[in-house]
Structure formats: C-alpha cells, structure tokens
Amino acid sequence: MSLRSSILTHALPLVRTQSFTRQSLVSAYLGLRDDGTAPSSVAAGPSSSAGTTGQTQAEGVIDELFGPGRSAVLELVRAWERAGAEQMRAGGDRPEGSLSHRLGYSAAAGPSLLEAYALLASPAHTPSIPIPRTVLALLPALARNLSLSFPALTTLNRLPLLSVHPLGPISYAWRIADEAVLLSKPGEKEKGVHGEGLGAGPEWYASRLGLALVYLASEAHLLLPAPTYTAATNPRLPDALDALSRNLERYDDIHDLLTTTSLLRVRSGASFALGPLVSTLASGLFRAPAAASPPRWPRARGYATAAAAAPSDTPAPPLPPVAGIAVTAPSLDKIKAEGYFDDDVALVPPAEARLVISPPAIQQLVSITARESADAIDRGLALRVGVDSGGCHGYQYTMALTEERGVDDYVFQPQGVRSIPVVVDLVSLGLVKGATLDFATELIGSSFRILDNPQAKEGGSCGCGISWEAKI
C-alpha cells in the first residue's frame, strides 16, 4: 500500500474526533511514522514528539502527496465515501440492507458528517466579479478612514462571491444509490419498462434518482444536532433508519407507478416525463408517516446473502427438534488430483471440523428452503460461508446462496428438518472451525452472522461484525 493510501486509511478513524480536516491527515501521517510504517524516504526527521518541527514536516508531506488547500480534505472525503461503499456490500443485495449499513457508517462520523456535506457543497473555485475602476479608486481612501485593508481586492481587482455547489450532496447521494442498485441487480441483466437493457434509459435514471432522494431524506436526520455522542452510538441513527424504512415503502409505490403508468409507454407514442415522478416521490418523502403497512420492497432473493428474507405474511412454523448437524468432509485424494493445493495439504481433523448452527439460523435455512422451488435441495442449493482477506481487520466473512460445489467443500447438513446445507471450503473452515453461525433480526436489518469464533482475536473485530482479526 502506498504512503498516500496508508495515510487515508489511518485518517478515517480520526474523522469522528478531528473531522474532515488536514489535521486528520497530519495526525495519521505522524502515527504511521512513529510506528515505523512510513517509507524511510519520508520517515526521516524529528518524531511527532518534536512538536512544531514534526508538525511542519508532516504538513509538507501532506502538501506534497495531496496538494495544498482544500484538495487534501476533499480526497479524505472521497476515501470516506469509498469505505462507505464497502460497508454497503456487507448489507447484502437489497437496497434496504445496503442503505441501512451505509446510514450506520455515516452515523459513525458523528457531528463530522456536517463538515463532509459542507465540503461537498463548496465550489471547487470561488467565483468572483470584476470591480469597477471607480470603486477601486475609492478603496484607498476608505481604507485610511476605517483603518481597514483590502489587499485581495486591490491586487486582484475582483470581488469574491459567496456560493454553494448544490449538486455536490446530490451527486454524493446519487453515487450511493448507484451502488445500491448495482448490488441489487448484479450484472444489470434485467430489462427496463420498455424492454431495453438496463443502461442509460428511463428506469436506469429513475431508480437511481429515486433511491438518491430516499437516502438523502433519511441521512438528513443525522445532520440534526444531538444532545450527546458516544464513541459507539449516534442518537440520531434510529430516526434515520426509521425514515429510510418509510421512504423505501414510498419509493416502492412510485416504482410500481413507474412500471405501469401509461406516461412511460414510449412505444405507444407517449413521452417520458421524469419531473412529475420526481415531484411525487420528493413530496412523499417529507410528508407525515402513513399507517404502518407490510414492507413491499424485496423483490429479489435478497435473503440469499447476508440479508434476511422478506417478512412473510404468515408466521414461520415452529422448528422441530434438530437431531444434530451431519458433517461430510471432502476427499483428500480428489483435492490432490485437482491440484488446488500443495501435496502436503491436510484435512481439518474430524474432531475440529465443527460449525455450530444456532436454532434461529436453522429456522432461516428452513424458511429459505420452503421459499425456493421444490427441487432446491436436489439442485444442490446451499448457504456458502467463507472467509476472504480484506476489511479493516484483515479478514471478513462472506455469505451467499450457491449451487456450486468445490472439491474441498465441507458440508454441514441439519438433521431432522428439510433444510439446505451450509458449505465451507477447506481454507475458510480452518479460520471458522468451532464458531457459531447465527441469524439475528436487528434495527438495521436481519442477517446471518458468525459468533464466538475461536480463531478470532479477542477484541479484534469490527463493529459491523463482518471484519475481524485472526489469532497469530
């Protein structure tokens, strides 16, 4: 990782306390240098304990890497946005889950979120207008009489204007909406309302603009002042999540209108008018909440990943007693024949090849099986649990429905119930053996999750529960 990327990565945790400022970047650089992780070409010199000298040197490094002025803090905002997109992926493939995770990420910034909006709304260049010669001639006398100085005006002969860049926050919300749509429709294989491939067509724009307004109206709750902030919570987050839930229901109504109204039937000769649609959606987002109704958003198989299934109209049947979890280990000979690993590869010892599946997780697996087609088990449908490198702590859990099997897969099959199995590859099982697969319903959404992993370092996991640090 380059020094520039390292500074941005280490500056993000400082945003909550030091905001989106150059000081956050300076502090991140000084921390890297004191830890000995900065390159020797820039790490030489007095340490941060040297006070003003170390601060001055760090400022010079930030200027050299990011440029002077606002460019450095704007790059910090962009890095914060990119990290937020990663958090959205942890919320699954439904906008309800991905946007909820994104709100949680923004809430973690605390009062500094307002500074991010201010930077997004600030123009790249300050506009100005020329000052007439007659006015310039009066400035020296005015300065003498009022004991004032106008060096900028007399030197540049232009008057700077205060302005805002309103498209900045809208573009920010658009990028979040675009990520949510892409997560919910991987590959954009579906067709739009006119049968066109989903690209720059009416539905392409309307879905993103609609979700952008939904998210912007929801995150606005996080910009309101709060009595207290703590390191772990933002008191405005519950209001923001509640607004997101209501707004997504209203967006769903508008989306239905989008796919049925004759106004969008270009094939019949009518024209497409996006203005009335946006006006209807925007007015709906800020009206008083209607009577509670069942959520209608989930259309895709969002429960296939870390997100939960859509709430059912009828309660799930009681779970019968589970006789246990049958474990099927892969064939070592087949693994070696495939050549995936070195010749000295070994299976996980039978006594250690264990994954606890909690009753709520089994209940969810049974529910998924019931909602799938009758041949789901015969097709080999399973919940794949894996471990990938990445995240803020080195490793992160992955979960998804799959019909594919690997030659090195362990299969964990609940007994006594009609349920799809859980599959874990050999490498991942070495990092989750003995852990518990659970399913939890929380304020920000429902999801499968890994608990009590004996291979994880105590206290070395992210607050999102996805990223974690392995024991050495």
Side-chain angles (χ1 to χ4, degrees), residues 98 195-196 418:
S98 59
E196 82 279 10
R418 187 175 184 275

Side-chain angles (χ1 to χ4, degrees), residues 131-314:
I131 302 176
R133 293 177 180 271
T134 53
V135 176
L136 284 173
L138 295 176
L139 287 179
L142 184 63
R144 287 194 301 272
N145 292 335
L146 299 179
S147 301
L148 298 176
S149 175
F150 306 99
L153 300 183
T154 55
T155 303
L156 302 177
N157 298 337
R158 299 185 68 86
L159 178 66
L161 300 177
L162 296 177
S163 66
V164 295
H165 178 46
L167 292 181
I170 296 177
S171 298
Y172 156 76
W174 177 281
R175 291 188 290 271
I176 293 175
D178 182 62
E179 183 69 24
V181 172
L182 292 178
L183 288 172
S184 66
K185 301 176 180 178
E188 296 274 17
K189 295 178 181 179
E190 296 148 2
K191 299 293 184 180
V193 293
H194 315 301
E196 82 279 10
L198 285 184
E203 186 173 348
W204 191 93
Y205 283 106
S207 60
R208 284 158 174 78
L209 183 56
L211 282 178
L213 291 173
V214 163
Y215 184 80
L216 206 57
S218 304
E219 193 170 87
H221 289 268
L222 300 179
L223 301 176
L224 299 175
T228 57
Y229 291 95
T230 68
T233 62
N234 185 324
R236 294 295 182 187
L237 180 57
D239 293 338
L241 291 171
D242 181 63
L244 177 65
S245 179
R246 294 197 312 268
N247 294 342
L248 280 175
E249 291 181 29
R250 292 163 184 166
Y251 168 80
D252 188 50
D253 293 336
I254 300 300
H255 189 276
D256 290 342
L257 174 66
L258 170 68
T259 56
T260 58
T261 179
S262 60
L263 185 62
L264 302 180
R265 299 298 181 185
V266 174
R267 288 177 179 172
S268 64
S271 61
F272 172 68
L274 187 60
L277 180 68
V278 175
S279 176
T280 303
L281 176 61
S283 62
L285 296 182
F286 296 99
R287 70 171 184 254
S293 59
R296 302 173 55 201
W297 167 258
R299 294 184 178 86
R301 301 192 310 167
Y303 56 86
T305 63
S312 174
D313 294 334
T314 58

Side-chain angles (χ1 to χ4, degrees), residues 23 25-35 47-48 54-55 58:
Q23 186 56 45
L25 296 169
V26 169
S27 298
Y29 167 73
L30 291 174
L32 283 170
R33 191 182 59 181
D34 291 345
D35 291 342
S47 67
S48 58
Q55 179 81 9

